[in-house]
Amino acid sequence: MEYTEREAQRLFEEAYTYHMMGDIDRAIELYKQSIEVQPSAKAYTFLGWAFSMKNDYEKAIEYCKKAIEIDPDFGNPYNDIGAYLIEQGRFEEAIPWLKQAIVAKNYDARHFPRINLARIYLATGRLYDALEEVEEALKLEPDYKPAHVLRHQILGMLN
């Protein structure tokens, strides 16, 4: 690993530490420094996440789109854009982003976009579609407790 890549990674890890401690402003500063040293889809995605925690969803989406420009196969920013659009009540706009996250080549958490789709379908009265997405999420991550909770909620509404 070359020096610039190591330095960018070090800055990213420091940013993430501050992010997890709740110092979002310092995390943003360090994610930006990491990107200045060497832009990465991951750093842009996490920078977007930090802005979402300040309820600046437009900036969060902007940074996720930059992440996608760098690595269109990285699934996280697609799911994150979908989640940020959900937070804004822009359900129909969120659906294609979440579906793209599900099929992205480089993504380990495919249950998240499934749950986000279920949230949209639940909010828009499409209970059977919501249940189907939850079931798919549970196939991917059987121990994901929020999916079990959502499943029981939907089943209760269907009865």
Side-chain angles (χ1 to χ4, degrees), residues 65-97:
K65 287 179 177 177
K66 287 184 180 196
I68 292 166
E69 286 175 22
I70 291 174
D71 183 358
D73 294 331
F74 187 43
N76 300 60
Y78 295 102
N79 179 68
D80 290 1
I81 290 172
Y84 305 149
L85 291 169
I86 290 170
E87 290 301 315
Q88 295 176 304
R90 296 160 61 186
F91 300 133
E92 291 305 315
E93 282 181 72
I95 292 171
W97 292 102

PDB file of all heavy atoms in Angstrom, residues 65-97:
ATOM      1  N   LYS A  65     -23.613  10.338  -4.403  1.00  0.00           N
ATOM      2  CA  LYS A  65     -23.518  10.304  -5.867  1.00  0.00           C
ATOM      3  C   LYS A  65     -22.055  10.390  -6.311  1.00  0.00           C
ATOM      4  O   LYS A  65     -21.665   9.749  -7.298  1.00  0.00           O
ATOM      5  CB  LYS A  65     -24.359  11.412  -6.492  1.00  0.00           C
ATOM      6  CG  LYS A  65     -25.852  11.108  -6.405  1.00  0.00           C
ATOM      7  CD  LYS A  65     -26.695  12.216  -7.014  1.00  0.00           C
ATOM      8  CE  LYS A  65     -28.169  11.853  -6.984  1.00  0.00           C
ATOM      9  NZ  LYS A  65     -29.027  12.942  -7.518  1.00  0.00           N
ATOM     10  N   LYS A  66     -21.235  11.143  -5.568  1.00  0.00           N
ATOM     11  CA  LYS A  66     -19.798  11.189  -5.881  1.00  0.00           C
ATOM     12  C   LYS A  66     -19.165   9.823  -5.636  1.00  0.00           C
ATOM     13  O   LYS A  66     -18.283   9.391  -6.381  1.00  0.00           O
ATOM     14  CB  LYS A  66     -19.102  12.272  -5.060  1.00  0.00           C
ATOM     15  CG  LYS A  66     -19.437  13.666  -5.530  1.00  0.00           C
ATOM     16  CD  LYS A  66     -18.675  14.725  -4.774  1.00  0.00           C
ATOM     17  CE  LYS A  66     -19.074  16.093  -5.300  1.00  0.00           C
ATOM     18  NZ  LYS A  66     -18.182  17.149  -4.921  1.00  0.00           N
ATOM     19  N   ALA A  67     -19.615   9.139  -4.591  1.00  0.00           N
ATOM     20  CA  ALA A  67     -19.113   7.790  -4.313  1.00  0.00           C
ATOM     21  C   ALA A  67     -19.437   6.855  -5.475  1.00  0.00           C
ATOM     22  O   ALA A  67     -18.593   6.066  -5.901  1.00  0.00           O
ATOM     23  CB  ALA A  67     -19.728   7.254  -3.011  1.00  0.00           C
ATOM     24  N   ILE A  68     -20.651   6.972  -5.995  1.00  0.00           N
ATOM     25  CA  ILE A  68     -21.077   6.117  -7.113  1.00  0.00           C
ATOM     26  C   ILE A  68     -20.259   6.415  -8.360  1.00  0.00           C
ATOM     27  O   ILE A  68     -19.916   5.495  -9.109  1.00  0.00           O
ATOM     28  CB  ILE A  68     -22.595   6.283  -7.356  1.00  0.00           C
ATOM     29  CG1 ILE A  68     -23.378   5.686  -6.172  1.00  0.00           C
ATOM     30  CG2 ILE A  68     -23.016   5.645  -8.675  1.00  0.00           C
ATOM     31  CD1 ILE A  68     -24.839   6.072  -6.111  1.00  0.00           C
ATOM     32  N   GLU A  69     -19.909   7.687  -8.575  1.00  0.00           N
ATOM     33  CA  GLU A  69     -19.059   8.043  -9.722  1.00  0.00           C
ATOM     34  C   GLU A  69     -17.712   7.324  -9.636  1.00  0.00           C
ATOM     35  O   GLU A  69     -17.180   6.873 -10.648  1.00  0.00           O
ATOM     36  CB  GLU A  69     -18.823   9.551  -9.774  1.00  0.00           C
ATOM     37  CG  GLU A  69     -20.016  10.349 -10.228  1.00  0.00           C
ATOM     38  CD  GLU A  69     -19.770  11.853 -10.138  1.00  0.00           C
ATOM     39  OE1 GLU A  69     -18.579  12.279 -10.141  1.00  0.00           O
ATOM     40  OE2 GLU A  69     -20.758  12.597 -10.059  1.00  0.00           O
ATOM     41  N   ILE A  70     -17.174   7.230  -8.420  1.00  0.00           N
ATOM     42  CA  ILE A  70     -15.877   6.579  -8.231  1.00  0.00           C
ATOM     43  C   ILE A  70     -15.995   5.067  -8.365  1.00  0.00           C
ATOM     44  O   ILE A  70     -15.150   4.427  -8.986  1.00  0.00           O
ATOM     45  CB  ILE A  70     -15.273   6.955  -6.860  1.00  0.00           C
ATOM     46  CG1 ILE A  70     -14.877   8.432  -6.872  1.00  0.00           C
ATOM     47  CG2 ILE A  70     -14.070   6.073  -6.524  1.00  0.00           C
ATOM     48  CD1 ILE A  70     -14.418   8.947  -5.529  1.00  0.00           C
ATOM     49  N   ASP A  71     -17.036   4.484  -7.766  1.00  0.00           N
ATOM     50  CA  ASP A  71     -17.203   3.027  -7.797  1.00  0.00           C
ATOM     51  C   ASP A  71     -18.683   2.672  -7.933  1.00  0.00           C
ATOM     52  O   ASP A  71     -19.390   2.520  -6.940  1.00  0.00           O
ATOM     53  CB  ASP A  71     -16.630   2.404  -6.516  1.00  0.00           C
ATOM     54  CG  ASP A  71     -16.698   0.881  -6.525  1.00  0.00           C
ATOM     55  OD1 ASP A  71     -17.226   0.291  -7.502  1.00  0.00           O
ATOM     56  OD2 ASP A  71     -16.235   0.273  -5.550  1.00  0.00           O
ATOM     57  N   PRO A  72     -19.159   2.533  -9.172  1.00  0.00           N
ATOM     58  CA  PRO A  72     -20.576   2.239  -9.388  1.00  0.00           C
ATOM     59  C   PRO A  72     -21.012   0.862  -8.881  1.00  0.00           C
ATOM     60  O   PRO A  72     -22.210   0.598  -8.782  1.00  0.00           O
ATOM     61  CB  PRO A  72     -20.749   2.335 -10.904  1.00  0.00           C
ATOM     62  CG  PRO A  72     -19.424   2.591 -11.488  1.00  0.00           C
ATOM     63  CD  PRO A  72     -18.419   2.737 -10.403  1.00  0.00           C
ATOM     64  N   ASP A  73     -20.062   0.008  -8.526  1.00  0.00           N
ATOM     65  CA  ASP A  73     -20.395  -1.322  -8.006  1.00  0.00           C
ATOM     66  C   ASP A  73     -20.555  -1.350  -6.487  1.00  0.00           C
ATOM     67  O   ASP A  73     -20.967  -2.365  -5.924  1.00  0.00           O
ATOM     68  CB  ASP A  73     -19.317  -2.340  -8.404  1.00  0.00           C
ATOM     69  CG  ASP A  73     -19.272  -2.574  -9.905  1.00  0.00           C
ATOM     70  OD1 ASP A  73     -20.324  -2.433 -10.564  1.00  0.00           O
ATOM     71  OD2 ASP A  73     -18.190  -2.883 -10.423  1.00  0.00           O
ATOM     72  N   PHE A  74     -20.228  -0.262  -5.807  1.00  0.00           N
ATOM     73  CA  PHE A  74     -20.290  -0.175  -4.344  1.00  0.00           C
ATOM     74  C   PHE A  74     -21.744   0.078  -3.937  1.00  0.00           C
ATOM     75  O   PHE A  74     -22.329   1.119  -4.269  1.00  0.00           O
ATOM     76  CB  PHE A  74     -19.358   0.950  -3.873  1.00  0.00           C
ATOM     77  CG  PHE A  74     -19.171   1.063  -2.391  1.00  0.00           C
ATOM     78  CD1 PHE A  74     -18.973  -0.052  -1.590  1.00  0.00           C
ATOM     79  CD2 PHE A  74     -19.178   2.308  -1.786  1.00  0.00           C
ATOM     80  CE1 PHE A  74     -18.785   0.063  -0.223  1.00  0.00           C
ATOM     81  CE2 PHE A  74     -18.987   2.450  -0.419  1.00  0.00           C
ATOM     82  CZ  PHE A  74     -18.790   1.313   0.365  1.00  0.00           C
ATOM     83  N   GLY A  75     -22.342  -0.861  -3.225  1.00  0.00           N
ATOM     84  CA  GLY A  75     -23.767  -0.807  -2.924  1.00  0.00           C
ATOM     85  C   GLY A  75     -24.187   0.180  -1.861  1.00  0.00           C
ATOM     86  O   GLY A  75     -25.313   0.692  -1.893  1.00  0.00           O
ATOM     87  N   ASN A  76     -23.312   0.466  -0.905  1.00  0.00           N
ATOM     88  CA  ASN A  76     -23.687   1.325   0.229  1.00  0.00           C
ATOM     89  C   ASN A  76     -24.303   2.666  -0.169  1.00  0.00           C
ATOM     90  O   ASN A  76     -25.332   3.043   0.393  1.00  0.00           O
ATOM     91  CB  ASN A  76     -22.489   1.552   1.146  1.00  0.00           C
ATOM     92  CG  ASN A  76     -21.935   0.280   1.721  1.00  0.00           C
ATOM     93  OD1 ASN A  76     -21.514  -0.605   0.994  1.00  0.00           O
ATOM     94  ND2 ASN A  76     -21.928   0.176   3.035  1.00  0.00           N
ATOM     95  N   PRO A  77     -23.697   3.426  -1.093  1.00  0.00           N
ATOM     96  CA  PRO A  77     -24.269   4.742  -1.373  1.00  0.00           C
ATOM     97  C   PRO A  77     -25.659   4.670  -2.004  1.00  0.00           C
ATOM     98  O   PRO A  77     -26.479   5.562  -1.790  1.00  0.00           O
ATOM     99  CB  PRO A  77     -23.253   5.403  -2.301  1.00  0.00           C
ATOM    100  CG  PRO A  77     -22.417   4.306  -2.842  1.00  0.00           C
ATOM    101  CD  PRO A  77     -22.429   3.214  -1.821  1.00  0.00           C
ATOM    102  N   TYR A  78     -25.941   3.616  -2.766  1.00  0.00           N
ATOM    103  CA  TYR A  78     -27.283   3.473  -3.342  1.00  0.00           C
ATOM    104  C   TYR A  78     -28.316   3.309  -2.227  1.00  0.00           C
ATOM    105  O   TYR A  78     -29.362   3.960  -2.227  1.00  0.00           O
ATOM    106  CB  TYR A  78     -27.355   2.264  -4.273  1.00  0.00           C
ATOM    107  CG  TYR A  78     -26.504   2.366  -5.506  1.00  0.00           C
ATOM    108  CD1 TYR A  78     -25.287   1.695  -5.593  1.00  0.00           C
ATOM    109  CD2 TYR A  78     -26.913   3.114  -6.610  1.00  0.00           C
ATOM    110  CE1 TYR A  78     -24.498   1.767  -6.732  1.00  0.00           C
ATOM    111  CE2 TYR A  78     -26.135   3.191  -7.762  1.00  0.00           C
ATOM    112  CZ  TYR A  78     -24.931   2.516  -7.814  1.00  0.00           C
ATOM    113  OH  TYR A  78     -24.161   2.592  -8.944  1.00  0.00           O
ATOM    114  N   ASN A  79     -28.021   2.432  -1.263  1.00  0.00           N
ATOM    115  CA  ASN A  79     -28.933   2.237  -0.140  1.00  0.00           C
ATOM    116  C   ASN A  79     -29.061   3.521   0.675  1.00  0.00           C
ATOM    117  O   ASN A  79     -30.159   3.896   1.090  1.00  0.00           O
ATOM    118  CB  ASN A  79     -28.466   1.097   0.759  1.00  0.00           C
ATOM    119  CG  ASN A  79     -29.397   0.915   1.934  1.00  0.00           C
ATOM    120  OD1 ASN A  79     -30.548   0.515   1.784  1.00  0.00           O
ATOM    121  ND2 ASN A  79     -28.925   1.232   3.126  1.00  0.00           N
ATOM    122  N   ASP A  80     -27.943   4.187   0.892  1.00  0.00           N
ATOM    123  CA  ASP A  80     -27.980   5.402   1.697  1.00  0.00           C
ATOM    124  C   ASP A  80     -28.830   6.488   1.035  1.00  0.00           C
ATOM    125  O   ASP A  80     -29.629   7.148   1.702  1.00  0.00           O
ATOM    126  CB  ASP A  80     -26.565   5.911   1.965  1.00  0.00           C
ATOM    127  CG  ASP A  80     -25.785   5.002   2.910  1.00  0.00           C
ATOM    128  OD1 ASP A  80     -26.331   3.970   3.351  1.00  0.00           O
ATOM    129  OD2 ASP A  80     -24.626   5.322   3.194  1.00  0.00           O
ATOM    130  N   ILE A  81     -28.680   6.659  -0.276  1.00  0.00           N
ATOM    131  CA  ILE A  81     -29.517   7.637  -0.978  1.00  0.00           C
ATOM    132  C   ILE A  81     -30.991   7.276  -0.792  1.00  0.00           C
ATOM    133  O   ILE A  81     -31.815   8.145  -0.482  1.00  0.00           O
ATOM    134  CB  ILE A  81     -29.156   7.723  -2.482  1.00  0.00           C
ATOM    135  CG1 ILE A  81     -27.784   8.385  -2.658  1.00  0.00           C
ATOM    136  CG2 ILE A  81     -30.238   8.488  -3.254  1.00  0.00           C
ATOM    137  CD1 ILE A  81     -27.243   8.336  -4.082  1.00  0.00           C
ATOM    138  N   GLY A  82     -31.304   6.002  -0.945  1.00  0.00           N
ATOM    139  CA  GLY A  82     -32.684   5.566  -0.734  1.00  0.00           C
ATOM    140  C   GLY A  82     -33.172   5.898   0.662  1.00  0.00           C
ATOM    141  O   GLY A  82     -34.280   6.403   0.852  1.00  0.00           O
ATOM    142  N   ALA A  83     -32.333   5.643   1.658  1.00  0.00           N
ATOM    143  CA  ALA A  83     -32.707   5.924   3.052  1.00  0.00           C
ATOM    144  C   ALA A  83     -32.907   7.419   3.278  1.00  0.00           C
ATOM    145  O   ALA A  83     -33.849   7.827   3.978  1.00  0.00           O
ATOM    146  CB  ALA A  83     -31.639   5.379   4.000  1.00  0.00           C
ATOM    147  N   TYR A  84     -32.052   8.253   2.677  1.00  0.00           N
ATOM    148  CA  TYR A  84     -32.176   9.696   2.860  1.00  0.00           C
ATOM    149  C   TYR A  84     -33.452  10.223   2.178  1.00  0.00           C
ATOM    150  O   TYR A  84     -34.118  11.114   2.698  1.00  0.00           O
ATOM    151  CB  TYR A  84     -30.947  10.443   2.334  1.00  0.00           C
ATOM    152  CG  TYR A  84     -29.648   9.955   2.926  1.00  0.00           C
ATOM    153  CD1 TYR A  84     -28.464   9.997   2.196  1.00  0.00           C
ATOM    154  CD2 TYR A  84     -29.587   9.420   4.218  1.00  0.00           C
ATOM    155  CE1 TYR A  84     -27.265   9.543   2.737  1.00  0.00           C
ATOM    156  CE2 TYR A  84     -28.397   8.960   4.752  1.00  0.00           C
ATOM    157  CZ  TYR A  84     -27.241   9.015   4.006  1.00  0.00           C
ATOM    158  OH  TYR A  84     -26.063   8.550   4.535  1.00  0.00           O
ATOM    159  N   LEU A  85     -33.783   9.652   1.031  1.00  0.00           N
ATOM    160  CA  LEU A  85     -35.024  10.042   0.355  1.00  0.00           C
ATOM    161  C   LEU A  85     -36.242   9.610   1.182  1.00  0.00           C
ATOM    162  O   LEU A  85     -37.231  10.356   1.259  1.00  0.00           O
ATOM    163  CB  LEU A  85     -35.071   9.446  -1.054  1.00  0.00           C
ATOM    164  CG  LEU A  85     -34.056  10.040  -2.037  1.00  0.00           C
ATOM    165  CD1 LEU A  85     -33.989   9.212  -3.309  1.00  0.00           C
ATOM    166  CD2 LEU A  85     -34.395  11.502  -2.353  1.00  0.00           C
ATOM    167  N   ILE A  86     -36.168   8.447   1.811  1.00  0.00           N
ATOM    168  CA  ILE A  86     -37.257   8.003   2.696  1.00  0.00           C
ATOM    169  C   ILE A  86     -37.435   9.012   3.823  1.00  0.00           C
ATOM    170  O   ILE A  86     -38.559   9.391   4.161  1.00  0.00           O
ATOM    171  CB  ILE A  86     -36.976   6.596   3.264  1.00  0.00           C
ATOM    172  CG1 ILE A  86     -37.089   5.534   2.168  1.00  0.00           C
ATOM    173  CG2 ILE A  86     -37.943   6.269   4.412  1.00  0.00           C
ATOM    174  CD1 ILE A  86     -36.594   4.154   2.586  1.00  0.00           C
ATOM    175  N   GLU A  87     -36.335   9.448   4.422  1.00  0.00           N
ATOM    176  CA  GLU A  87     -36.408  10.414   5.521  1.00  0.00           C
ATOM    177  C   GLU A  87     -37.097  11.704   5.084  1.00  0.00           C
ATOM    178  O   GLU A  87     -37.719  12.385   5.896  1.00  0.00           O
ATOM    179  CB  GLU A  87     -35.011  10.731   6.070  1.00  0.00           C
ATOM    180  CG  GLU A  87     -34.381   9.587   6.827  1.00  0.00           C
ATOM    181  CD  GLU A  87     -35.205   9.133   8.019  1.00  0.00           C
ATOM    182  OE1 GLU A  87     -35.689   9.998   8.784  1.00  0.00           O
ATOM    183  OE2 GLU A  87     -35.380   7.912   8.188  1.00  0.00           O
ATOM    184  N   GLN A  88     -37.004  12.022   3.809  1.00  0.00           N
ATOM    185  CA  GLN A  88     -37.627  13.231   3.275  1.00  0.00           C
ATOM    186  C   GLN A  88     -39.050  12.964   2.768  1.00  0.00           C
ATOM    187  O   GLN A  88     -39.691  13.859   2.231  1.00  0.00           O
ATOM    188  CB  GLN A  88     -36.781  13.793   2.126  1.00  0.00           C
ATOM    189  CG  GLN A  88     -35.415  14.268   2.579  1.00  0.00           C
ATOM    190  CD  GLN A  88     -34.582  14.724   1.395  1.00  0.00           C
ATOM    191  OE1 GLN A  88     -34.356  13.983   0.442  1.00  0.00           O
ATOM    192  NE2 GLN A  88     -34.123  15.965   1.452  1.00  0.00           N
ATOM    193  N   GLY A  89     -39.510  11.712   2.898  1.00  0.00           N
ATOM    194  CA  GLY A  89     -40.840  11.361   2.424  1.00  0.00           C
ATOM    195  C   GLY A  89     -40.925  11.208   0.911  1.00  0.00           C
ATOM    196  O   GLY A  89     -42.018  11.178   0.340  1.00  0.00           O
ATOM    197  N   ARG A  90     -39.793  11.071   0.260  1.00  0.00           N
ATOM    198  CA  ARG A  90     -39.726  10.953  -1.206  1.00  0.00           C
ATOM    199  C   ARG A  90     -39.633   9.476  -1.586  1.00  0.00           C
ATOM    200  O   ARG A  90     -38.646   9.006  -2.145  1.00  0.00           O
ATOM    201  CB  ARG A  90     -38.542  11.771  -1.717  1.00  0.00           C
ATOM    202  CG  ARG A  90     -38.718  13.267  -1.454  1.00  0.00           C
ATOM    203  CD  ARG A  90     -37.433  14.060  -1.486  1.00  0.00           C
ATOM    204  NE  ARG A  90     -36.726  14.013  -2.762  1.00  0.00           N
ATOM    205  CZ  ARG A  90     -35.516  14.547  -2.949  1.00  0.00           C
ATOM    206  NH1 ARG A  90     -34.908  15.197  -1.962  1.00  0.00           N
ATOM    207  NH2 ARG A  90     -34.926  14.456  -4.114  1.00  0.00           N
ATOM    208  N   PHE A  91     -40.704   8.745  -1.264  1.00  0.00           N
ATOM    209  CA  PHE A  91     -40.708   7.286  -1.359  1.00  0.00           C
ATOM    210  C   PHE A  91     -40.477   6.771  -2.775  1.00  0.00           C
ATOM    211  O   PHE A  91     -39.649   5.880  -2.981  1.00  0.00           O
ATOM    212  CB  PHE A  91     -42.014   6.714  -0.806  1.00  0.00           C
ATOM    213  CG  PHE A  91     -42.268   7.046   0.637  1.00  0.00           C
ATOM    214  CD1 PHE A  91     -43.503   7.518   1.042  1.00  0.00           C
ATOM    215  CD2 PHE A  91     -41.285   6.884   1.597  1.00  0.00           C
ATOM    216  CE1 PHE A  91     -43.754   7.831   2.376  1.00  0.00           C
ATOM    217  CE2 PHE A  91     -41.515   7.189   2.934  1.00  0.00           C
ATOM    218  CZ  PHE A  91     -42.754   7.659   3.318  1.00  0.00           C
ATOM    219  N   GLU A  92     -41.217   7.289  -3.735  1.00  0.00           N
ATOM    220  CA  GLU A  92     -41.096   6.770  -5.107  1.00  0.00           C
ATOM    221  C   GLU A  92     -39.696   7.009  -5.675  1.00  0.00           C
ATOM    222  O   GLU A  92     -39.177   6.159  -6.402  1.00  0.00           O
ATOM    223  CB  GLU A  92     -42.179   7.369  -6.015  1.00  0.00           C
ATOM    224  CG  GLU A  92     -43.579   6.881  -5.690  1.00  0.00           C
ATOM    225  CD  GLU A  92     -43.726   5.356  -5.691  1.00  0.00           C
ATOM    226  OE1 GLU A  92     -43.224   4.693  -6.624  1.00  0.00           O
ATOM    227  OE2 GLU A  92     -44.344   4.831  -4.739  1.00  0.00           O
ATOM    228  N   GLU A  93     -39.096   8.135  -5.336  1.00  0.00           N
ATOM    229  CA  GLU A  93     -37.724   8.423  -5.786  1.00  0.00           C
ATOM    230  C   GLU A  93     -36.722   7.448  -5.177  1.00  0.00           C
ATOM    231  O   GLU A  93     -35.683   7.158  -5.780  1.00  0.00           O
ATOM    232  CB  GLU A  93     -37.309   9.835  -5.385  1.00  0.00           C
ATOM    233  CG  GLU A  93     -37.853  10.941  -6.240  1.00  0.00           C
ATOM    234  CD  GLU A  93     -37.344  12.283  -5.741  1.00  0.00           C
ATOM    235  OE1 GLU A  93     -36.146  12.575  -5.924  1.00  0.00           O
ATOM    236  OE2 GLU A  93     -38.157  13.019  -5.150  1.00  0.00           O
ATOM    237  N   ALA A  94     -37.010   6.976  -3.972  1.00  0.00           N
ATOM    238  CA  ALA A  94     -36.081   6.090  -3.260  1.00  0.00           C
ATOM    239  C   ALA A  94     -36.029   4.687  -3.850  1.00  0.00           C
ATOM    240  O   ALA A  94     -34.983   4.032  -3.808  1.00  0.00           O
ATOM    241  CB  ALA A  94     -36.476   6.006  -1.786  1.00  0.00           C
ATOM    242  N   ILE A  95     -37.138   4.221  -4.411  1.00  0.00           N
ATOM    243  CA  ILE A  95     -37.241   2.825  -4.841  1.00  0.00           C
ATOM    244  C   ILE A  95     -36.142   2.408  -5.821  1.00  0.00           C
ATOM    245  O   ILE A  95     -35.469   1.394  -5.594  1.00  0.00           O
ATOM    246  CB  ILE A  95     -38.662   2.516  -5.376  1.00  0.00           C
ATOM    247  CG1 ILE A  95     -39.659   2.577  -4.210  1.00  0.00           C
ATOM    248  CG2 ILE A  95     -38.706   1.160  -6.079  1.00  0.00           C
ATOM    249  CD1 ILE A  95     -41.125   2.510  -4.621  1.00  0.00           C
ATOM    250  N   PRO A  96     -35.893   3.159  -6.920  1.00  0.00           N
ATOM    251  CA  PRO A  96     -34.839   2.696  -7.844  1.00  0.00           C
ATOM    252  C   PRO A  96     -33.449   2.641  -7.213  1.00  0.00           C
ATOM    253  O   PRO A  96     -32.641   1.771  -7.555  1.00  0.00           O
ATOM    254  CB  PRO A  96     -34.884   3.694  -9.004  1.00  0.00           C
ATOM    255  CG  PRO A  96     -35.917   4.695  -8.689  1.00  0.00           C
ATOM    256  CD  PRO A  96     -36.587   4.327  -7.415  1.00  0.00           C
ATOM    257  N   TRP A  97     -33.162   3.565  -6.282  1.00  0.00           N
ATOM    258  CA  TRP A  97     -31.861   3.547  -5.611  1.00  0.00           C
ATOM    259  C   TRP A  97     -31.717   2.283  -4.766  1.00  0.00           C
ATOM    260  O   TRP A  97     -30.664   1.639  -4.755  1.00  0.00           O
ATOM    261  CB  TRP A  97     -31.697   4.792  -4.740  1.00  0.00           C
ATOM    262  CG  TRP A  97     -31.584   6.053  -5.537  1.00  0.00           C
ATOM    263  CD1 TRP A  97     -32.570   6.977  -5.745  1.00  0.00           C
ATOM    264  CD2 TRP A  97     -30.442   6.518  -6.260  1.00  0.00           C
ATOM    265  NE1 TRP A  97     -32.088   7.993  -6.546  1.00  0.00           N
ATOM    266  CE2 TRP A  97     -30.791   7.739  -6.876  1.00  0.00           C
ATOM    267  CE3 TRP A  97     -29.152   6.020  -6.435  1.00  0.00           C
ATOM    268  CZ2 TRP A  97     -29.908   8.471  -7.654  1.00  0.00           C
ATOM    269  CZ3 TRP A  97     -28.252   6.753  -7.208  1.00  0.00           C
ATOM    270  CH2 TRP A  97     -28.639   7.953  -7.809  1.00  0.00           C
TER     271      TRP A  97
END
